[in-house]
């Protein structure tokens, strides 16, 4: 396998960094990526062979249609940012939009795909089939932009979709390739407990929703520890517990609100968690004469790496000079690339972008999150070779 090398991609690096820094300085929230989409279109309109389509919402699809027999390959990058106030004020390209930040690396993803498109345009005569650059909106907010794009039916005809995520928790040069589940089911719940308020000195005259809520929180942890196999990844994290007021410390409140996040890596475990969260909340409230309403939101599904396509991407990665390949367990974060992986054989990799010496090792979604831009070189090389090598590998 003779790869397109980083030396051959060096001419695209200056523009790659320019795009990244512009996007980082001008982040936009999910479903609101209007200027981001305009910027992508303005960059792609400069290419000779790019066909620009607006599939849905603020997403952008850039096609390279060769007219020659060959595979139809999709490359996906997410384009949205998060509602976080950036604290990397030392960066000259720090966010200029108050309260909005590229704290998950989507500016990196978008810039790498823009650079890959420039390579495909310059080497258009060497391509076969079709290449689709999928600039997807709204990865960070349910129901997710990928689901909206999939519902158009446009992407059913693709032979392969490749996606990747820059990762601050791995040093530059590392590629994490998972077989099977790459990211988890990601669901949420809210439980509203209706008790009976009263004076703090007369708990016997009240139905205390705080006691009921605390019991529910404790019981939920037994679902994972006693109802799910220890071999199966599962997490229930109750992250919200709201009741009462500090101005009324002598009052037992009427209501209590719980909320949390639920993660799993199979449909079977997902159903176990969902059904038992509902059952335990309802039965505990019933025991004490309270009632509850439960809002359980089924979020992103598992991103599944197709074995055959992932073996191909593994071979690509193993032939990249200086890259180190690892295989971590399924990432228990949510990723709406899962919507694409349900309809088309797909692979989703994690590419190292961390650098402890530069303090680019804060976790994703942190206000000091940052990425070593050297990691973009490896990501660009993976994107380009996913397209260039595919027809040779799958003859």
């Amino acid at each position: 396998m003779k790869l397109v090398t980083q030396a051959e991609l060096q001419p695209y690096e200056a523009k790659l960094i320019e795009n990244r820094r512009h996007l980082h300085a001008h982040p936009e929230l999910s479903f609101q990526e209007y200027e981001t989409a305009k910027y992508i279109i303005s960059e792609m309109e400069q290419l000779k062979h790019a066909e620009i389509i607006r599939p849905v919402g603020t997403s952008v699809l850039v096609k390279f249609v060769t007219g020659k027999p060959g595979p139809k390959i999709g490359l996906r990058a997410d384009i949205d940012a998060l509602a976080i106030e950036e604290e990397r004020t030392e960066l000259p390209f720090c966010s200029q939009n108050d309260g909005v930040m590229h704290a998950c690396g989507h500016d990196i993803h978008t810039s790498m795909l823009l650079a890959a498109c420039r390579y495909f345009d310059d080497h258009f005569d060497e391509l076969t089939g079709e290449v689709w650059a999928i600039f997807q909106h709204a990865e960070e907010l349910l129901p997710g932009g990928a689901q909206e794009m999939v519902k158009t039916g446009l992407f059913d005809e693709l032979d392969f979709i490749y996606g990747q995520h820059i990762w601050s928790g791995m040093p530059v040069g590392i590629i994490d390739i998972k077989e099977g589940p790459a990211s988890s089911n990601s669901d949420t719940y809210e439980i509203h407990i209706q008790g009976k308020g009263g004076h703090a000195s007369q708990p016997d005259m009240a139905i205390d929703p705080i006691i009921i809520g605390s019991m529910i929180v404790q019981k939920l942890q037994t679902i994972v520890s006693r109802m799910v196999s220890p071999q199966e990844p599962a997490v229930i994290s109750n992250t919200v517990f709201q009741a009462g007021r500090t101005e009324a410390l002598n009052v037992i409140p009427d209501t209590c609100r719980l909320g949390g996040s639920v993660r799993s890596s199979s449909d079977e475990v997902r159903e176990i968690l969902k059904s038992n969260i509902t059952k335990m909340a309802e039965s505990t409230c019933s025991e004490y004469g309270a009632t509850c309403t439960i809002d359980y939101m089924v979020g992103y599904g598992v991103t599944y790496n197709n074995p055959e396509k992932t073996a191909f991407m593994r071979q690509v990665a193993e032939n990249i000079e200086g890259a180190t390949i690892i295989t971590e367990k399924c990432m228990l974060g949510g990723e709406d690339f899962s919507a694409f992986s349900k309809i088309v054989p797909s692979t989703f990799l994690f590419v190292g972008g961390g650098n402890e010496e530069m303090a680019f090792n804060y976790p994703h979604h942190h206000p000091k999150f940052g990425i070593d831009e050297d990691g973009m070189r490896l990501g660009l090389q993976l994107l380009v070779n996913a397209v260039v090598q595919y027809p040779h590998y799958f003859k």
Side-chain angles (χ1 to χ4, degrees):
M1 184 176 279
K2 189 177 184 304
L3 300 187
V4 178
T5 65
Q6 289 192 12
E8 293 173 273
L9 295 171
Q10 193 276 332
Y12 302 92
E13 288 183 8
K15 192 68 174 175
L16 168 62
I17 292 172
E18 176 191 320
N19 290 157
R20 185 269 163 141
R21 294 184 177 185
H22 173 89
L23 290 167
H24 192 87
H26 302 89
E28 294 179 293
L29 296 175
S30 303
F31 299 105
Q32 301 174 37
E33 310 94 331
Y34 303 108
E35 295 304 316
T36 302
K38 287 180 185 177
Y39 182 74
I40 292 167
I41 291 168
S42 69
E43 292 293 300
M44 294 293 93
E45 283 177 338
Q46 301 172 31
L47 306 184
K48 295 179 182 178
H49 305 288
E51 177 186 344
I52 301 171
I53 299 169
R54 302 301 305 275
V56 63
T58 44
S59 65
V60 180
L61 174 61
V62 180
K63 287 186 179 184
F64 296 88
V65 181
T66 69
K68 295 182 282 189
K72 292 184 178 181
I73 299 172
L75 304 174
R76 176 269 203 171
D78 37 18
I79 67 173
D80 57 328
L82 288 151
I84 295 173
E85 185 70 36
E86 182 164 15
E87 295 181 6
R88 302 298 301 238
T89 53
E90 78 279 8
L91 297 176
F93 50 92
C94 180
S95 173
Q96 297 178 19
N97 296 343
D98 291 344
V100 186
M101 176 190 177
H102 271 296
C104 202
H106 297 187
D107 53 331
I108 299 276
H109 303 163
T110 302
S111 303
M112 291 188 295
L113 188 52
L114 289 171
C117 286
R118 293 189 185 94
Y119 178 90
F120 299 141
D121 197 62
D122 289 344
H123 297 80
F124 184 77
D125 292 341
E126 301 167 22
L127 302 176
T128 60
E130 298 182 14
V131 181
W132 294 18
I134 305 164
F135 294 93
Q136 181 221 305
H137 63 308
E139 190 276 334
E140 296 287 3
L141 185 64
L142 290 171
Q147 185 134 315
E148 286 192 345
M149 297 186 83
V150 164
K151 283 181 179 178
T152 67
L154 282 173
F155 302 92
D156 295 355
E157 63 187 86
L158 292 176
D159 296 298
F160 174 50
I161 298 182
Y162 171 66
Q164 58 187 15
H165 206 306
I166 199 77
W167 209 246
S168 66
M170 296 191 307
V172 171
I174 305 291
I175 305 172
D176 177 16
I177 304 176
K178 310 176 194 296
E179 280 79 21
S183 71
S184 73
N185 296 312
S186 178
D187 306 330
T188 59
Y189 65 85
E190 290 187 22
I191 303 170
H192 297 266
I193 302 167
Q194 180 63 57
K196 179 183 175 184
H199 198 286
S201 68
Q202 297 176 305
D204 56 311
M205 303 296 290
I207 298 174
D208 191 340
I210 295 177
I211 295 295
I212 297 168
S214 64
M215 294 186 72
I216 291 172
V217 170
Q218 289 182 324
K219 284 183 177 182
L220 294 187
Q221 298 309 307
T222 67
I223 300 174
V224 172
S225 65
R226 290 298 179 266
M227 298 180 184
V228 176
S229 167
Q231 307 300 320
E232 289 275 2
V235 176
I236 299 175
S237 291
N238 195 93
T239 55
V240 175
F241 194 124
Q242 296 175 343
R245 298 169 57 194
T246 55
E247 301 89 348
L249 296 178
N250 63 342
V251 175
I252 294 173
D254 247 358
T255 63
C256 176
R257 176 171 171 257
L258 308 179
S261 179
V262 185
R263 307 300 169 111
S264 59
S265 62
S266 72
D267 290 340
E268 294 75 19
V269 172
R270 187 181 216 177
E271 182 55 35
I272 290 171
L273 300 178
K274 178 183 177 183
S275 62
N276 282 286
I277 287 171
T278 301
K279 186 187 303 181
M280 285 186 174
E282 291 177 342
S283 64
T284 304
C285 286
S286 178
E287 286 173 20
Y288 291 90
T291 59
C292 68
T293 57
I294 302 168
D295 182 11
Y296 196 100
M297 180 175 285
V298 175
Y300 301 151
V302 167
T303 294
Y304 183 77
N305 279 347
N306 176 275
E308 185 181 33
K309 308 301 184 184
T310 303
F312 158 62
M313 288 305 301
R314 178 178 287 276
Q315 186 166 330
V316 169
E318 288 174 344
N319 278 274
I320 293 178
E321 184 178 355
T324 300
I325 314 304
I326 63 172
T327 301
E328 298 285 358
K329 293 182 179 179
C330 173
M331 188 261 301
L332 288 179
E335 170 55 66
D336 82 336
F337 185 82
S338 58
F340 291 116
S341 76
K342 285 183 178 178
I343 63 164
V344 174
S346 303
T347 295
F348 192 83
L349 304 186
F350 297 84
V351 181
N355 186 323
E356 190 170 355
E357 292 182 1
M358 299 173 70
F360 289 145
N361 59 343
Y362 285 88
H364 293 248
H365 296 204
H366 190 282
K368 289 188 176 181
F369 170 84
I371 290 293
D372 184 345
E373 290 177 335
D374 284 350
M376 296 194 294
R377 296 191 182 101
L378 188 52
L380 174 59
Q381 194 175 7
L382 285 165
L383 287 168
V384 168
N385 282 290
V387 170
V388 172
Q389 303 303 326
Y390 189 96
H392 304 295
Y393 185 91
F394 294 102
K395 293 180 181 178

